[in-house]
Amino acid sequence: MIRTATDYATARHTLGLTVRELAAALRLSGDNGYRSIQRIEDGEKPVPGPQAIALEAFLSGFRPSDWPASHGGCPVCGGTRTHLVDDYTARCDNCGREFDAALLEDR
């Protein structure tokens, strides 16, 4: 569950999103959305319940139709932190699954 500033920031980093990308994914407007996320991650503002639920959904693999294209990553969970095992295989650092490394070429 996402309850603290640390939980919130960890979730964003796990998703591989910048503050601006997360603001857009959460439908927070412009600079106000950016500042709101910064204040949450700095512990100046509590984590709003609807944002916590949305982040938990993103971490579970839900992706809105306008999810940043550069964050396709793992075809299983959508995780963006991956590494090459060899020339042909990649492994997701989020779910641990291995998949065809050619899928990363679009990133």
Side-chain angles (χ1 to χ4, degrees):
M1 295 181 74
I2 297 172
R3 295 185 180 184
T4 68
T6 300
D7 296 339
Y8 194 97
T10 299
R12 180 175 64 78
H13 289 286
T14 298
L15 292 165
L17 298 174
T18 66
V19 172
R20 290 196 190 281
E21 288 171 332
L22 179 58
L26 293 171
R27 310 297 192 270
L28 302 175
S29 60
D31 286 339
N32 288 335
Y34 178 85
R35 282 193 294 273
S36 177
I37 290 173
Q38 284 186 316
R39 290 180 60 216
I40 292 167
E41 290 187 357
D42 290 342
E44 298 172 12
K45 179 179 173 181
V47 177
Q51 287 186 35
I53 291 168
L55 277 171
E56 289 167 11
F58 296 159
L59 290 170
S60 294
F62 171 77
R63 297 293 183 264
S65 60
D66 59 349
W67 190 255
S70 63
H71 296 290
C74 174
V76 177
C77 74
T80 58
R81 297 185 190 274
T82 58
H83 64 276
L84 292 175
V85 175
D86 57 38
D87 289 340
Y88 305 101
T89 309
R91 179 176 292 131
C92 176
D93 295 339
N94 186 46
C95 72
R97 301 276 176 86
E98 292 185 356
F99 56 95
D100 185 347
L103 295 172
L104 295 175
E105 292 176 7
D106 296 334
R107 289 176 48 169

